[in-house]
Amino acid sequence: MIEFRQVTKRYDSDHTALRQVNFHLDRGELAFLTGHSGAGKSTLLKLLMVMERPTAGEVVVGGQALNRLPRRQVPYIRRHIGVVFQNHQLLFDRTVFDNVAMPLEVMGASPRDVGRRVRAALDKVGLLSKEKMNPLQLSGGEQQRVGIARAVVNKPPLLLADEPTGNLDPKLSADIMNLFAQFSQVGVTVLIASHDLALINEMDRRTLTLDHGNLIAGGTPLQGGFRGR
Amino acid sequence: MAVDPLSKPRKPDIARGAKASRSPWREQAESYFIHHRKVARDSASRMWRTPVASLMTWTVMGVALALPVALLLLLTSLQGVSAGWESGARVTAYMKLDASLEQTRKLAEEIGADGRVDGVELIDRDRALTEFRASSGLDDALDYLDENPLPHTLLITPEESARTADGVASLLMFVESMEGIERVQVDLGWLQRLNAMTDLLARAVWALAILLAAAVVLVIGNTVRLSIESRRDEILVAKLVGGTDGFVRRPFLYTGAWFGLGGGVVAWILLQLSLWWLSGPIERLAGLYSSDFSLSGLSFDGAFALIIVAMLLGWLGAWIAVKRHLDDIEPGEIAGG
Ligand SMILES: Nc1ncnc2c1ncn2[C@@H]1O[C@H](COP(=O)(O)OP(=O)(O)OP(=O)(O)O)[C@@H](O)[C@H]1O
Ligand SMILES: [Mg+2]
């Protein structure tokens, strides 16, 4: 589903954020991405979203090499990737429903489809009753779940999350991780960048570890040895 | 849990999946139009939410559009005057003082037979004097003259085809060369001056129109730029979830077109108001010159064209702003560290 081949990302000519990173994730696999602050976690996710382009090497998503993807095609790739950020990027000038509907709207889905799928996604994250509220009226954890609903509303085969549990309490964090685990069970590939080592250990999943842009662990496909790091 | 949103994962080939659409063509087109209508309505209602600012933009646009259109209308009216004069162009030939009425009559017949001449009217010197008395108000003074100082006069109306500046000039030469004619007169001078002036004026008006159209485009461009700034978050999220450039631009292009519509309507209102305000004095002025000059307003077609042009200018302004400012907004910055 995802493949990095010798990927290097240099920002300014001297600063290298990723060095020759190699790994691949299968369909339906859930993996964590960890490392110190500035290790390159967000950079790796941005390469997958084509928010940044690699300096060298190749990024492949769903069989599609992103390197030479023309700018015009980028939106169509993004429609197949759900993203969740720590600052959930909800819009406060519209309801929860309209926030979640955005990915469907950009695709030109029919209103009937939109209603059905938005409610299904909100139901999935347990917020069906709050669809008419403004995101400002929700708690931090609820806002984060609205962000997740928006990320999965068009059933993307790939889900990326950058610090999705940033400043949530442990119970809420565990809830959200369980939600991600459910998505991976139905075939969605999930990659979660996180600092929260306690939570990662608890989840007992494959973990990619970055250190100063080098992938120092988890780089080869899932094998017993990488479980429960 | 009603419906599992992820129960049917997509096939892994992302690029192919992106282009293929599950819904039939009709439904796709339908939702496209629904989307357009929604965006158009949404852009219009945003404009209503800031009525004062919108009204000010409309007024600026309206003034900038009304000015060149007003000048164009004035120009058209002036061209109407010179055309009207040309059709009524007459050549006046004064006989020598010693020419007899008989001689004048023969000359009139000769001139009347020329192909370039439509008709000749003879005004004998007695009638000329009576008319002069009546029109000049010098009644008493004329009594002191021993004899009539006016010659016989021929008023020559050129044939339709000869009613051009060149045609009249050649007719003039022909009549001038005849025996017994003292002087031939046609007041082409002011006509040519008017023509030259309207030509110059036309160019000036067009130059002004182009400058003001550019100003309109810039005003709208700036307004739309501000609107882009204020909706930055929305643009970022739309791009993040796969909105194409076209999708993200659309609301702003509609905004530009709506500003154009408002500006066009304001321009039309301004034009009608000033026409109404000016028509009285102009009628009186034209009356003084016994001219049938009148300011013509905008026809229905003209008003329609004005509004369409205004909308196009608004759209163009928005397009420039969008090109310059919107395409730069990339969601990279929201991903954070
Ligand atoms: N747009 C950019 N321009 C220049 N340098 C950048 C840019 N984005 C990131 N970097 C640098 O690249 C390195 C990796 O950044 P990145 O955001 O990927 O780290 P991270 O692992 O996500 O850190 P954190 O855990 O703090 O979020 C950092 O040293 C950062 O300074
Ligand atoms: Mg980061």
Side-chain angles (χ1 to χ4, degrees):
Chain A
M1 186 67 217
I2 299 178
E3 193 170 357
F4 272 59
R5 292 188 201 133
Q6 299 288 336
V7 174
T8 296
K9 175 63 188 177
R10 204 169 291 134
Y11 275 113
D12 312 314
S13 49
D14 52 336
H15 189 93
T16 309
L18 290 177
R19 293 167 210 271
Q20 307 203 320
V21 171
N22 271 309
F23 74 96
H24 90 256
L25 283 182
D26 287 331
R27 195 169 148 248
E29 197 170 352
L30 184 150
F32 287 101
L33 182 61
T34 190
H36 61 90
S37 181
K41 303 184 293 293
S42 299
T43 301
L44 193 150
L45 297 184
K46 284 181 190 173
L47 290 177
L48 286 167
M49 282 295 285
V50 208
M51 290 170 174
E52 298 284 355
R53 304 269 186 165
T55 315
E58 227 174 327
V59 179
V60 182
V61 176
Q64 172 86 28
L66 301 184
N67 288 36
R68 283 168 301 278
L69 191 75
R71 212 188 103 87
R72 274 183 328 102
Q73 290 292 325
V74 170
Y76 300 101
I77 290 292
R78 289 188 185 153
R79 287 177 190 183
H80 291 76
I81 306 177
V83 272
V84 183
F85 294 113
Q86 178 182 347
N87 57 340
H88 11 77
Q89 277 303 319
L90 299 180
L91 299 172
F92 299 123
D93 64 349
R94 56 195 74 194
T95 61
V96 166
F97 181 99
D98 289 338
N99 266 281
V100 175
M102 279 196 78
L104 299 173
E105 217 163 89
V106 303
M107 285 168 53
S110 74
R112 201 161 33 88
D113 258 9
V114 171
R116 193 169 49 77
R117 290 163 80 171
V118 168
R119 295 211 172 84
L122 281 174
D123 189 31
K124 183 86 190 161
V125 299
L127 288 176
L128 192 50
S129 59
K130 313 227 163 166
E131 59 167 299
K132 292 206 176 65
M133 290 172 92
N134 187 294
L136 276 177
Q137 295 169 287
L138 303 182
S139 73
E142 286 170 331
Q143 289 185 11
Q144 191 63 290
R145 282 186 281 159
V146 174
I148 293 171
R150 189 182 67 194
V152 300
V153 71
N154 59 347
K155 303 182 195 169
L158 174 59
L159 187 57
L160 305 177
D162 199 352
E163 313 281 2
T165 58
N167 38 26
L168 301 180
D169 68 45
K171 159 101 178 56
L172 263 177
S173 303
D175 281 354
I176 284 177
M177 286 304 170
N178 284 331
L179 209 49
F180 285 133
Q182 284 179 37
F183 291 129
S184 85
Q185 267 156 31
V186 293
V188 181
T189 308
V190 186
L191 182 59
I192 305 166
S194 177
H195 278 129
D196 195 341
L197 286 174
L199 192 68
I200 293 173
N201 288 337
E202 198 178 308
M203 294 286 292
D204 188 23
R205 295 292 186 128
R206 177 175 170 192
T207 303
L208 302 162
T209 308
L210 281 170
D211 182 66
H212 293 100
N214 296 301
L215 187 59
I216 54 166
T220 40
L222 184 64
Q223 275 163 15
F226 289 102
R227 282 188 168 271
R229 252 184 58 91
Chain B
M1 199 174 301
V3 186
D4 186 345
L6 296 164
S7 54
K8 277 190 291 178
R10 291 286 186 86
K11 46 182 182 288
D13 188 339
I14 280 188
R16 189 138 43 80
K19 285 203 176 150
S21 76
R22 288 185 312 124
S23 45
W25 185 87
R26 235 184 77 100
E27 197 176 323
Q28 197 80 349
E30 209 169 275
S31 59
Y32 183 77
F33 284 117
I34 289 174
H35 171 67
H36 262 269
R37 214 172 49 203
K38 179 166 175 282
V39 172
R41 209 184 306 131
D42 191 57
S43 318
S45 75
R46 266 171 202 276
M47 214 166 279
W48 280 124
R49 259 176 264 162
T50 53
V52 178
S54 303
L55 197 67
M56 262 156 68
T57 309
W58 289 345
T59 310
V60 169
M61 260 193 101
V63 171
L65 288 168
L67 199 60
V69 175
L71 289 175
L72 278 176
L73 287 176
L74 183 68
L75 203 65
T76 318
S77 304
L78 280 179
Q79 278 160 349
V81 169
S82 60
W85 195 89
E86 239 162 86
S87 68
R90 275 202 294 193
V91 176
T92 312
Y94 300 99
M95 302 298 291
K96 292 209 165 80
L97 265 178
D98 56 2
S100 69
L101 190 58
E102 193 54 35
Q103 195 187 349
T104 309
R105 243 181 223 127
K106 268 172 67 187
L107 213 60
E109 265 168 40
E110 200 179 321
I111 292 171
D114 190 274
R116 283 166 294 190
V117 178
D118 190 39
V120 181
E121 186 187 353
L122 196 161
I123 298 176
D124 64 53
R125 45 196 307 193
D126 297 337
R127 193 177 133 210
L129 186 64
T130 325
E131 279 182 9
F132 186 60
R133 266 180 204 282
S135 67
S136 67
L138 295 174
D139 209 346
D140 297 341
L142 290 171
D143 284 343
Y144 289 101
L145 294 173
D146 297 339
E147 54 181 298
N148 185 350
L150 300 175
H152 299 301
T153 308
L154 296 176
L155 290 181
I156 306 159
T157 311
E159 187 71 48
E160 187 123 18
S161 58
R163 277 176 206 164
T164 59
D166 283 352
V168 172
S170 87
L171 185 63
L172 199 85
M173 281 202 354
F174 163 69
V175 177
E176 213 162 26
S177 66
M178 297 177 100
E179 203 167 323
I181 303 279
E182 171 75 31
R183 209 155 65 81
V184 187
Q185 198 185 347
V186 58
D187 206 353
L188 267 183
W190 77 269
L191 180 62
Q192 280 163 343
R193 275 200 296 277
L194 183 67
N195 272 341
M197 262 167 58
T198 49
D199 280 356
L200 182 70
L201 205 61
R203 284 183 188 223
V205 168
W206 279 114
L208 188 73
I210 288 168
L211 284 179
L212 287 172
V216 164
V217 168
L218 292 179
V219 165
I220 297 303
N222 196 47
T223 310
V224 169
R225 181 182 64 82
L226 294 177
S227 144
I228 288 174
E229 286 307 317
S230 73
R231 294 173 71 180
R232 201 178 171 79
D233 284 346
E234 188 183 339
I235 295 164
L236 286 174
V237 173
K239 287 196 172 187
L240 186 73
V241 299
T244 55
D245 286 349
F247 177 90
V248 178
R249 285 173 192 163
R250 206 163 292 141
F252 300 103
L253 296 182
Y254 269 107
T255 302
W258 290 148
F259 273 127
L261 177 67
V265 170
V266 169
W268 180 77
I269 293 173
L270 287 176
L271 284 171
Q272 293 304 107
L273 281 180
S274 26
L275 188 69
W276 168 77
W277 193 58
L278 285 176
S279 62
I282 282 182
E283 243 163 57
R284 243 171 294 138
L285 188 69
L288 287 180
Y289 284 86
S290 59
S291 153
D292 55 0
F293 175 82
S294 71
L295 258 188
S296 42
L298 266 185
S299 60
F300 177 79
D301 287 357
F304 189 69
L306 169 67
I307 286 171
I308 294 294
V309 167
M311 287 181 82
L312 283 177
L313 289 176
W315 183 87
L316 182 67
W319 196 80
I320 289 172
V322 153
K323 261 288 176 216
R324 276 183 48 87
H325 303 287
L326 211 158
D327 295 354
D328 293 344
I329 298 180
E330 272 302 322
E333 57 202 83
I334 72 171

